[in-house]
Amino acid sequence: GGRMEVLEEKEEEEQREEELKALEISDNLQDVETKVSMEQNCVPSDVRDFNWSSIDTSQLPSSYKSNSLKEKKLLHIADHFLQQYTHLCPDRKPLFLHPVNECGVEKFVSTTVRPTLLPYTELYHWDGCASFVSDYLTMEPLESPITPPSSLYSPTTILKYQRGNCFDFSVLLCSMLIGAGYDAYCVHGYATREICTLDETLELCPLLRKPQEVPKERMKKSNKYRVKPPPDLQSKFELQQEAKKAAETEAAQKNKEGEEEKEVEKPERDPLYGLRVHAWVLVLSGKKEVPETFFINPFTGNSHSTMDEHFLGIESVWNHRNYWVNMQDCWNGCKDLVFDLGDAIRWEIMLSGSNKPLQLLPDAEEEKELSDKEMDDMQEKEEEDMSFDMPPSWVAPIQISPREFETRCSQGRKVILYKKAKLEKWAPYLNGNGLVKRLTVYADLDCTEAVEVREWFKNREDMLDMREVNKQTQLTTDYFSPGHLLSLKAHTYTSLEPETEHTMEFYNEARVDGLQKRVENANEMTEYFVGRDDFLYVRHMEFGKRGQKIHLAGTRTEINSRPIVQIKECFHRNLEKPADEDVAERIFLITEEMIHLTYHLKDKYITASKKDFFKAAERDRKGNEIIMTPEMCITYQAGSSEKDKKLLHLYKLLQELTVEEKQLKQQVRQSEAEGLNILKIRENEETNIRLSVSIYNTERNEKRRQQYEAMKNTMEDELQGQAEQDLDYLAPFLIQIGHSEKMTKAQALRVRDNCLTDFKHRLVDKANIIQARLEKAVEEQQQKDQWFQENQNQLSAEEEDDFLARCSETTFHIQILALRLHREKQTAPQKYLALEEKLRKDPRLAEHLSHT
C-alpha cells in the first residue's frame, strides 16, 4: 500500500512539473509575441498605416485576375508536389509555392518573376540593380516574422506603390538580374533579426570600410658591407621582463575597453533566432563572368558570401523556369550548402522535364547503343515525370520612367542608420545646392556627438563634387571635378576670409605655370609645381607684418600688401648643365639684401657648391654705378680650393639675380591676387549656387523648352502663310478684276485667257532658256575640239587625259540639256491642256466656262 502511495505522489509531482513547464512555454511565447509587436512598432508609421486592401485593381490586365489552362495545370502539379513533400518530410515547414496575388488569384511563384532589362546603363550590373531596388522601395515587415506571407503581389504593383516585404523586394530584384543576364534565384529561408528587420545600427557603413591592404614583400638587402653597430650593453632579460609587463597591462586595458564596448554593442538575445523567415537573392557563378556564387540582401543592396553567418538556412529557391527544394541539412546555417542545382540528391526539382542539361556527344553515342526496350522504358519514365514547361509570366512588362529612376527614394529622401554613422540620400535637383548624399560620422553609439560630415553633390555649375567637414577642427575640404573656372581640384579652409589658413590644389595639366598646390597662411605661402621647363618644383614665400617699416632698397611697397621678407625656390636637376652650375636652391633674403645659391651635388660628393651674394648697401642712393668687390660674394666650390669665377662673371650673375628678384616679387603679388580672387569667386559661388541642366533634360531645361516652343510657333506661322500663298494660283489674275464676289462671263473668259497666255509664255520661255544653254554648250565644245586639234602634238599624256575627261563631262552635259529640251517640247501641249481642264473645273469660273 505504501509503494502505491509513493508512486501516486511521484505522478502528481511529474504532473505539476509538466504544468509549470507548459506555463513557462506559454509565458515565453507571450514574451515573443510582445517583442514582435514592439518590433512592428519600430517601423515608421507611414509604412504601417498603408492599407494594401484598399488599392485599385480594376485597371489591371486580365492575366492578373484569372489563370490560363497551363497555369491551372501548373497549380495542380504544385499541389501534387506539396503532398509528396509533406508526406516525405513531415517535420519541415510548408513550402512557399502559390500565394495569392493582389487580385486574390493563386499564382505560382516562378510565374511572378518577370525577366526585364531596363534601358539604364546602371541597371546592366548587379550592384546597380540592387542599390536601385533598396533605394526605390520602402521596407515593410512580414505580418508574422516566423511564417512566409500569404500573398505575393506583382513587381509592377510593388513598383507603383514603392513598398513591399522581403519577398516583394527579392522577386523584383531577381526579375531585373535575370533580365540583365545573371543566373539569379529568389530564396525563401531564415536569417538573423538584424537582416530581417533592416537594422544596420551595428553594421559599419560601407563608405567607411577601408580597403584591405596587400602586404608588400620587402626586398632583403645584403648586410655584407654595412657598418656594424656598437655592442648593446643593456640587460636583455630586464628589457624582456619590462616589455612583458607593458604588454600585459596594455592587453588588460584593451580587453577591458573591448568588453565595455561589446556590452554596449552586443544585440539582445533573439528568442526567434533561426525561425525568422526572410527572402533574398542567390546569384550563381558562371553567367556574366560572376567568379563566385553569392547572396544579395535586397533590403540593403549589399552582397554577402554564402558563408555569411547572418543567413541561417534555405527552404527553397526559384527562378522564372523552375522551383528547387533544399534537401541539405542547415544545422550550420548556409555555410556547408552546395549550390549545384543539378544535383538531384541535394536539390529536389519540381518540373523535372524543364531545365534539362544539354546532352554531350559521347552521351548521345551511348544512347544509340541502348536497346529498343530500354529506350521505351526511358520514354515512359519521362512521360511519368510530368515533362511540363513553366508557363510565361502573368506580370505586365516592368517599366520605370526616367523621372522615377532619377527620383529613386519615395519622396526623394532616404535615411540609413549605421554603427556610429548616419547616411542620408536625396534625388538630384531636390536640394537647391545639388546635395545628393550626406554621411555624418559620430563619436558615440547614440549618434549625438558628430565628428565628421561628408557631403556629395551633383550637377553643380562650380563643379563641386564632395565636401568634408571635420567638426572638431572646423576644417573644410572641397573637392572639384575637372572643369572648374580656375582649374581648382581641392580647397581646404576654415573660413573663406583672406589671409587665413588655406590649401588649394589645382589640375596642373590645365594650368600654364604647372601649379599643383598652394598652401597659404597669414605669414607664409608655399607653391608646388609639376612638369616645368625651368625645373622649379617648390616656391616658398615669407611675409612680414604690415605694421613694420621695412626698408626695401629701390622698391616702393604697396600700401595694402604684406611686405615680402624672403623667397626660396627649389629646382630639380637639369642634366644639360654640370651639377655644380645647376642651382638646386636659391633664397632671396629681401630685408637683409642677400641671395643664397646652393647647387646640386656632384657624383660621389657629399657637399654642394654654394654662393652667397651681399648687395651693395650704398647702391642707387647717389646714382653711382655699382662696383663689384670680392667681399660682395662668398663662394664655396666643392672639390676645389681655387676661387673659380672671375669678378665679371659674378657681377653678371648678380645682375641677373637682381632682375629675377624683381620679377619674383611681381610673381608673388600675382599669386596673392590669384588666391584672393579664388576666395572671392568661391564665396560668390556658395552664395549664388547654380545647378547645370543637360540640354537633353527636356523637363528641367526651361530655357531650351521656351526656345523650342517659340521656334515651333514661328515655323507653324510661316508654313501656314506659305500654304495660303501656294493654294490660290488664280490670285494674280483675280486682282486685275478687283476680287469681286460674283464675276460676269466676260470677266471669267478674260481671267481664263490671261492665265493660259501667261502659262504659254512661261513654257516658251523655259524652252528658250534650255535651247540657249544647249547652243552655248555646243559652241564651247566645238572651240575645245578646235584647240585640241591645233595643240595635240604639244600636250603631255597626263594633260591629254585631263582634257579628254573634261570633254566627256561637257558632252554628257549637252546630252542632258538636249533631253530636257526634247521632253519640254513633248510635254508642253499636255501641260497646257491640263491647265485648261483645271480652269474649266475651277468653282469660281465653272458656271461660265462649263459650256465653252
Side-chain angles (χ1 to χ4, degrees):
R3 196 184 290 171
M4 286 293 287
E5 281 172 15
V6 169
L7 280 169
E8 278 172 12
E9 277 175 17
K10 266 192 179 179
E11 277 176 14
E12 277 176 19
E13 271 179 32
E14 280 172 12
Q15 207 171 339
R16 271 196 219 110
E17 275 177 24
E18 276 178 20
E19 281 171 9
L20 282 168
K21 273 185 186 175
L23 281 169
E24 274 176 32
I25 289 165
S26 65
D27 285 350
N28 285 349
L29 280 171
Q30 269 187 325
D31 289 349
V32 166
E33 279 170 18
T34 52
K35 280 192 178 179
V36 167
S37 64
M38 277 171 72
E39 270 175 28
Q40 304 280 29
N41 291 337
C42 299
V43 177
S45 58
D46 64 325
V47 174
R48 280 186 291 110
D49 294 346
F50 184 80
N51 186 7
W52 278 107
S53 58
S54 64
I55 64 166
D56 179 27
T57 56
S58 59
Q59 302 300 314
L60 293 172
S62 58
S63 62
Y64 284 59
K65 297 169 184 174
S66 60
N67 280 320
S68 65
L69 288 169
K70 204 169 182 186
E71 281 179 301
K72 283 173 183 170
K73 189 182 176 186
L74 176 65
L75 292 174
H76 179 69
I77 292 167
D79 284 332
H80 183 64
F81 182 76
L82 187 60
Q83 278 176 355
Q84 288 181 317
Y85 174 76
T86 45
H87 177 69
L88 294 168
C89 311
D91 55 337
R92 281 183 70 169
K93 296 275 177 74
L95 292 173
F96 185 66
L97 281 170
H98 43 68
V100 294
N101 69 359
E102 53 269 49
C103 300
V105 178
E106 279 190 4
K107 295 282 183 182
F108 189 70
V109 286
S110 290
T111 60
T112 310
V113 177
R114 172 76 193 237
T116 307
L117 177 64
L118 291 156
Y120 306 104
T121 47
E122 197 181 316
L123 303 184
Y124 294 172
H125 304 283
W126 75 263
D127 46 353
C129 294
S131 66
F132 172 77
V133 169
S134 66
D135 285 345
Y136 194 77
L137 302 182
T138 303
M139 171 265 190
E140 286 184 343
L142 293 169
E143 283 174 29
S144 162
I146 56 171
T147 51
S150 54
S151 59
L152 183 66
Y153 291 178
S154 67
T156 51
T157 300
I158 294 303
L159 280 170
K160 186 180 175 182
Y161 295 101
Q162 279 188 257
R163 56 185 65 245
N165 57 42
C166 52
F167 285 83
D168 300 319
F169 271 69
S170 301
V171 168
L172 175 61
L173 178 55
C174 194
S175 301
M176 289 164 72
L177 292 175
I178 294 169
Y182 288 92
D183 193 9
Y185 302 81
C186 296
V187 180
H188 162 213
Y190 304 94
T192 58
R193 177 172 54 195
E194 288 72 43
I195 292 277
C196 296
T197 58
L198 185 51
D199 179 6
E200 294 180 272
T201 51
L202 296 179
E203 290 288 317
L204 190 67
C205 176
L207 294 168
L208 294 172
R209 284 181 198 145
K210 287 173 185 171
Q212 289 181 334
E213 286 181 14
V214 181
K216 290 178 183 175
E217 288 182 21
R218 289 184 179 176
M219 294 282 286
K220 286 185 180 178
K221 292 180 182 176
S222 66
N223 298 328
K224 195 175 176 184
Y225 299 109
R226 278 207 187 147
V227 178
K228 285 180 183 175
D232 186 11
L233 302 173
Q234 272 185 302
S235 163
K236 283 180 186 173
F237 178 73
E238 280 178 16
L239 285 172
Q240 274 177 353
Q241 293 300 100
E242 280 173 26
K244 208 181 258 182
K245 272 185 187 175
E248 277 173 12
T249 53
E250 201 178 318
Q253 183 70 21
K254 269 189 182 174
N255 217 10
K256 197 179 176 185
E257 283 173 15
E259 276 173 15
E260 281 173 14
E261 203 167 303
K262 268 183 186 174
E263 275 173 31
V264 178
E265 288 178 28
K266 218 175 187 182
E268 291 175 37
R269 203 184 71 80
D270 182 13
L272 296 180
Y273 184 83
L275 298 173
R276 288 180 185 273
V277 169
H278 189 55
W280 65 92
V281 173
L282 161 73
V283 181
L284 292 186
S285 59
K287 273 192 178 181
K288 286 275 277 197
E289 296 177 1
V290 174
E292 210 174 320
T293 299
F294 65 96
F295 295 149
I296 302 172
N297 180 12
F299 281 164
T300 61
N302 297 335
S303 65
H304 297 264
S305 159
T306 53
M307 313 284 279
D308 196 315
E309 54 197 21
H310 285 99
F311 297 93
L312 306 174
I314 291 176
E315 285 284 358
S316 59
V317 303
W318 68 90
N319 65 1
H320 62 304
R321 293 183 192 280
N322 220 321
Y323 190 96
W324 293 263
V325 180
N326 176 31
M327 304 309 286
Q328 300 165 77
D329 200 335
C330 293
W331 68 272
N332 194 19
C334 299
K335 289 177 186 173
D336 303 330
L337 295 187
V338 176
F339 292 97
D340 174 14
L341 299 179
D343 187 336
I345 295 160
R346 290 191 171 99
W347 295 92
E348 188 66 50
I349 194 165
M350 197 182 94
L351 302 179
S352 54
S354 166
N355 267 38
K356 268 194 173 176
L358 292 167
Q359 294 286 345
L360 296 169
L361 280 171
D363 297 344
E365 281 164 18
E366 281 171 28
E367 268 181 32
K368 279 180 190 174
E369 290 166 20
L370 295 170
S371 67
D372 294 340
K373 194 184 177 188
E374 282 173 327
M375 285 292 280
D376 291 342
D377 290 349
M378 278 177 73
Q379 278 177 347
E380 276 173 31
K381 266 191 180 178
E382 273 185 21
E383 280 165 21
E384 279 171 26
D385 268 355
M386 296 179 293
S387 185
F388 177 81
D389 282 334
M390 187 69 67
S393 176
W394 54 274
V395 177
I398 296 170
Q399 290 171 333
I400 296 164
S401 71
R403 190 66 184 265
E404 288 167 339
F405 180 71
E406 191 188 67
T407 308
R408 292 290 180 96
C409 328
S410 75
Q411 285 89 47
R413 182 172 183 254
K414 187 172 187 179
V415 182
I416 308 165
L417 296 174
Y418 291 103
K419 177 184 167 185
K420 296 185 182 179
K422 179 172 80 172
L423 181 65
E424 297 161 278
K425 293 178 182 180
W426 290 272
Y429 299 104
L430 191 71
N431 293 318
N433 61 352
L435 182 67
V436 291
K437 197 159 60 173
R438 183 196 286 143
L439 174 69
T440 312
V441 182
Y442 297 94
D444 57 332
L445 284 163
D446 296 332
C447 296
T448 53
E449 190 190 334
V451 177
E452 187 189 0
V453 178
R454 292 185 206 170
E455 295 178 326
W456 285 263
F457 300 86
K458 258 186 186 176
N459 310 307
R460 288 271 294 234
E461 268 192 13
D462 59 6
M463 309 308 285
L464 181 66
D465 196 37
M466 183 193 167
R467 176 175 287 149
E468 281 182 4
V469 182
N470 188 322
K471 289 288 182 183
Q472 290 163 330
T473 60
Q474 293 304 316
L475 207 65
T476 305
T477 307
D478 293 343
Y479 297 93
F480 300 85
S481 301
H484 187 270
L485 183 69
L486 301 158
S487 310
L488 210 56
K489 188 178 187 178
H491 182 202
T492 306
Y493 56 93
T494 46
S495 86
L496 290 170
E497 290 297 314
E499 290 180 37
T500 53
E501 274 199 38
H502 291 280
T503 302
M504 295 175 189
E505 285 180 52
F506 300 90
Y507 287 99
N508 55 280
E509 306 89 349
R511 286 184 67 104
V512 181
D513 58 358
L515 180 66
Q516 191 182 37
K517 189 162 83 168
R518 182 183 287 133
V519 183
E520 189 179 359
N521 60 28
N523 307 316
E524 290 180 323
M525 180 160 70
T526 311
E527 295 180 323
Y528 300 86
F529 300 90
V530 170
R532 277 177 70 114
D533 297 337
D534 59 359
F535 299 94
L536 175 72
Y537 67 93
V538 172
R539 184 186 289 142
H540 178 76
M541 289 72 84
E542 283 182 22
F543 302 99
K545 287 179 183 173
R546 281 192 174 82
Q548 290 178 336
K549 285 186 180 179
I550 299 166
H551 170 65
L552 295 170
T555 59
R556 185 172 55 81
T557 51
E558 290 173 41
I559 301 157
N560 291 329
S561 59
R562 298 170 288 179
I564 304 164
V565 175
Q566 176 185 319
I567 303 170
K568 174 183 168 182
E569 290 191 313
C570 301
F571 298 86
H572 286 304
R573 178 85 176 84
N574 180 2
L575 296 168
E576 288 176 12
K577 291 181 184 178
D580 54 357
E581 286 178 26
D582 184 18
V583 177
E585 184 183 284
R586 61 184 190 186
I587 304 169
F588 296 91
L589 295 159
I590 290 157
T591 48
E592 294 170 35
E593 300 214 341
M594 284 169 66
I595 301 169
H596 295 295
L597 299 183
T598 307
Y599 293 86
H600 279 280
L601 284 171
K602 286 199 282 186
D603 280 350
K604 297 172 188 173
Y605 276 70
I606 57 166
T607 55
S609 301
K610 290 183 181 181
K611 282 189 179 72
D612 290 354
F613 288 97
F614 302 90
K615 292 186 203 171
E618 302 295 316
R619 72 165 181 195
D620 293 339
R621 279 195 188 168
K622 296 172 185 175
N624 299 331
E625 285 185 29
I626 305 163
I627 298 162
M628 187 77 185
T629 57
E631 291 79 36
M632 286 168 73
C633 179
I634 297 168
T635 305
Y636 164 67
Q637 197 70 27
S640 167
S641 57
E642 301 167 27
K643 286 193 176 179
D644 202 23
K645 300 274 181 189
K646 290 182 182 173
L647 279 175
L648 178 65
H649 292 295
L650 294 172
Y651 174 66
K652 279 183 178 175
L653 182 58
L654 180 58
Q655 274 190 322
E656 283 171 23
L657 289 169
T658 309
V659 171
E660 283 188 35
E661 188 182 305
K662 215 176 228 179
Q663 289 170 350
L664 268 175
K665 283 179 190 170
Q666 284 179 341
Q667 186 59 54
V668 171
R669 295 300 176 211
Q670 280 173 13
S671 293
E672 278 187 288
E674 189 187 47
L676 289 169
N677 185 35
I678 289 172
L679 292 177
K680 193 177 171 186
I681 286 171
R682 282 295 301 123
E683 204 167 348
N684 188 33
E685 283 172 345
E686 285 303 323
T687 47
N688 307 308
I689 295 167
R690 288 182 181 180
L691 299 183
S692 59
V693 179
S694 166
I695 58 165
Y696 302 110
N697 192 333
T698 50
E699 283 183 39
R700 287 202 177 84
N701 206 323
E702 194 61 35
K703 192 179 171 186
R704 290 269 168 189
R705 198 164 58 79
Q706 286 169 0
Q707 280 179 357
Y708 175 73
E709 280 177 7
M711 191 175 76
K712 199 174 165 186
N713 292 338
T714 52
M715 275 182 74
E716 278 174 7
D717 293 345
E718 280 174 18
L719 284 166
Q720 207 172 346
Q722 200 177 341
E724 281 169 11
Q725 279 179 3
D726 292 347
L727 279 173
D728 197 5
Y729 64 103
L730 277 179
F733 307 103
L734 291 171
I735 286 167
Q736 293 169 15
I737 62 159
H739 269 301
S740 56
E741 286 290 313
K742 194 87 175 157
M743 64 174 84
T744 62
K745 189 173 183 180
Q747 283 175 329
L749 285 165
R750 195 165 81 229
V751 166
R752 187 200 62 172
D753 292 343
N754 286 348
C755 188
L756 287 170
T757 310
D758 192 61
F759 186 60
K760 190 176 180 180
H761 284 311
R762 278 180 64 201
L763 288 172
V764 171
D765 289 345
K766 197 176 178 184
N768 287 341
I769 289 164
I770 297 168
Q771 179 80 41
R773 283 182 184 170
L774 179 61
E775 285 169 5
K776 192 182 176 185
V778 169
E779 195 182 329
E780 279 177 12
Q781 183 64 20
Q782 284 170 354
Q783 285 173 359
K784 281 179 186 176
D785 288 343
Q786 193 180 341
W787 178 83
F788 181 66
Q789 283 166 5
E790 287 170 5
N791 301 304
Q792 192 176 3
N793 300 327
Q794 296 167 14
L795 294 172
S796 65
E798 283 179 12
E799 286 171 334
E800 196 173 317
D801 289 344
D802 182 46
F803 178 80
L804 290 169
R806 277 187 281 129
C807 279
S808 65
E809 279 177 23
T810 314
T811 310
F812 181 68
H813 185 53
I814 288 166
Q815 286 171 348
I816 294 288
L817 285 167
L819 275 167
R820 280 183 65 192
L821 184 64
H822 178 70
R823 193 175 63 204
E824 207 61 44
K825 285 177 178 175
Q826 290 285 318
T827 57
Q830 292 166 5
K831 286 178 182 175
Y832 185 83
L833 288 168
L835 180 64
E836 202 171 18
E837 188 65 29
K838 196 175 178 183
L839 286 164
R840 191 178 291 131
K841 289 177 181 175
D842 191 291
R844 290 164 292 186
L845 309 174
E847 61 179 298
H848 302 299
L849 303 181
S850 56
H851 306 296
T852 56

